[in-house]
Amino acid sequence: MKGSWRRTVTGAAVLFVSISIFMTVTVLVYAAATQKYGDNTAAISIIMLICVAFFALTCTVIDILRRRIYTEKPLKDISEATERIAEGDFGVRLEINKSRNRFNEFDCIKENINAMAQALAGSRATGEQFIANAGHELKTPVAVIQSYASALCSDKLSDEEKTEYARTIAQTSRRMAATINNILKLNKLENGKILQSPENFSLDENVAESILTFEDAIDKKQIELTCDIEEISAKGYPEYLSTVWSNLISNAVKFCGEGGHIKISLKRQGGEAAFTITDDGCGIPADAGKKIFDKFWQGDTSHSSEGNGLGLAMVKKVVDILGGEIKVESILGEGTTFTVKINIDGAKTNG
């Protein structure tokens, strides 16, 4: 830092001048004492001792004050701040000298502590929101299961009603299990615990397998599916890429209307592969574009029973970790297009 170097030079210059002045004054005092007391060595020694002691005391006092102001006080502030952060108080902020000439290493440490406290506060808020959302997502199916399970204990239900209630409990249990499974997967993704060693695999087959998973759902809604998939050999993580394709295809099927159309393409672009999926469903509102990758966010609540708002969050996390890119284009009432670009020539990851 230029300011730090300037302060070092200034401090050294002040110390040099001060010592020079003290030595000069000491020599002058000695000369004056010698002239006055002649050969009286004892008197001269006492005078010189007093003179040296005075200058030494002055330097000591100045050094103590300098340490307290410029060293001990910042260290005390930093120590107290880190103690408060360790106790969970992430609202602590340290005062920093904004003046360029006064900004020093302690202020740099304070800046880092303030940034750390702010990041921890954000992480805690995100964690609390995540827990609240997860609790809300699990609370509803638990309540349904409890309600229908209690009703099954009644002797007033017919066999058909009992079968229907049991079916509802089974469906709700599967939904809750899927939510919990997605929460665990997302937790692993966010903690960077997903990647092993990359492997060679067929990317087009990886995509095709994901498409086949939704064959029944596509047929049930009589959706017209168009695929343009290029044969591509890749090196990477097929298991986690399947999570990306499956979630994007699932969303397209979910929001595509009866008799709608979905188009999927996979093309090589240099050292990357571009996966594109387009549906002619309900589309995404313009103000929701930045929220679709947030955990538990669901723009169309009419389909909330078909998902838990974690799919796109996982997609975004996997793509980010693999060093890829995902884009979304949507027109409300006309449809949505997701484009994913990933590296296929090696294990390029950001995790």
Side-chain angles (χ1 to χ4, degrees):
M1 284 183 225
K2 293 182 178 179
S4 177
W5 174 250
R6 189 182 298 112
R7 284 190 302 275
T8 301
V9 173
T10 302
V14 171
L15 180 62
F16 175 78
V17 172
S18 300
I19 292 176
S20 299
I21 292 173
F22 290 160
M23 291 181 67
T24 301
V25 172
T26 302
V27 171
L28 292 175
V29 169
Y30 177 76
T34 302
Q35 184 178 4
K36 182 174 181 179
Y37 294 102
D39 296 333
N40 191 344
T41 306
I44 294 174
S45 298
I46 292 173
I47 291 173
M48 295 309 299
L49 178 62
I50 293 172
C51 181
V52 171
F54 172 76
F55 288 144
L57 179 62
T58 302
C59 290
T60 301
V61 171
I62 292 174
D63 185 62
I64 291 174
L65 293 175
R66 181 188 65 81
R67 282 176 173 273
R68 288 190 175 180
I69 295 173
Y70 296 106
T71 303
E72 292 181 6
K73 186 180 184 304
L75 285 176
K76 182 181 179 182
D77 293 341
I78 290 171
S79 177
E80 290 177 351
T82 52
E83 285 179 4
R84 288 173 60 185
I85 291 173
E87 293 172 356
D89 181 6
F90 301 142
V92 60
R93 296 293 183 272
L94 291 168
E95 185 177 353
I96 299 172
N97 290 319
K98 299 298 183 181
S99 171
R100 183 177 179 183
N101 293 330
R102 296 184 62 192
F103 189 89
N104 56 32
E105 287 81 1
F106 287 119
D107 291 311
C108 183
I109 295 173
K110 289 178 181 179
E111 272 193 340
N112 292 335
I113 290 175
N114 288 346
M116 178 182 67
Q118 185 174 359
L120 289 172
S123 297
R124 180 166 67 180
T126 301
E128 290 174 350
Q129 184 63 39
F130 181 84
I131 292 172
N133 288 335
H136 176 74
E137 286 293 325
L138 296 175
K139 182 179 180 180
T140 301
V142 168
V144 171
I145 291 172
Q146 287 178 333
S147 175
Y148 279 79
S150 298
L152 282 174
C153 296
S154 173
D155 295 331
K156 298 179 181 180
L157 296 177
S158 64
D159 291 340
E160 291 182 358
E161 289 175 322
K162 288 182 179 180
T163 300
E164 182 62 29
Y165 280 25
R167 184 180 295 111
T168 300
I169 291 175
Q171 292 174 346
T172 306
S173 299
R174 284 193 293 270
R175 179 188 171 195
M176 186 168 65
T179 299
I180 294 172
N181 188 44
N182 284 336
I183 290 173
L184 294 175
K185 281 185 179 179
L186 190 57
N187 181 62
K188 287 184 178 180
L189 289 169
E190 292 180 333
N191 286 283
K193 297 179 180 178
I194 69 164
L195 302 179
Q196 304 290 328
S197 298
E199 59 182 272
N200 295 314
F201 69 103
S202 173
L203 183 60
D204 52 290
E205 290 182 6
N206 184 253
V207 172
E209 289 171 0
S210 297
I211 295 173
L212 289 173
T213 304
F214 296 92
E215 186 177 14
D216 291 341
I218 291 172
D219 290 341
K220 184 177 181 181
K221 295 183 75 171
Q222 297 181 335
I223 294 173
E224 181 184 350
L225 177 64
T226 303
C227 295
D228 183 11
I229 298 176
E230 181 180 330
E231 291 186 7
I232 300 176
S233 296
K235 185 176 183 179
Y237 307 89
E239 179 182 352
Y240 300 105
L241 286 173
S242 293
T243 299
V244 175
W245 318 139
S246 295
N247 277 289
L248 293 178
I249 296 169
S250 173
N251 271 4
V253 173
K254 179 167 60 176
F255 293 106
C256 198
E258 296 283 343
H261 181 226
I262 294 176
K263 181 179 180 181
I264 298 174
S265 72
L266 179 70
K267 299 292 182 181
R268 175 187 286 275
Q269 295 181 355
E272 294 183 327
F275 172 90
T276 304
I277 180 167
T278 301
D279 68 72
D280 57 2
C282 59
I284 302 171
D287 59 348
K290 295 181 180 180
K291 300 178 182 179
I292 60 172
F293 298 112
D294 291 348
K295 295 184 285 288
F296 295 106
W297 188 86
Q298 297 188 67
D300 185 356
T301 55
S302 65
H303 292 82
S304 60
S305 61
E306 302 175 39
N308 47 49
L310 292 173
L312 288 179
M314 287 195 293
V315 167
K316 183 67 165 61
K317 193 62 182 179
V318 169
V319 172
D320 286 346
I321 290 175
L322 296 180
E325 178 185 8
I326 182 168
K327 292 183 179 180
V328 57
E329 298 176 0
S330 185
I331 299 177
L332 191 62
E334 295 186 18
T336 303
T337 297
F338 281 93
T339 301
V340 177
K341 292 183 179 181
I342 59 164
N343 180 278
I344 57 175
D345 292 337
K348 178 183 177 183
T349 68
N350 295 327

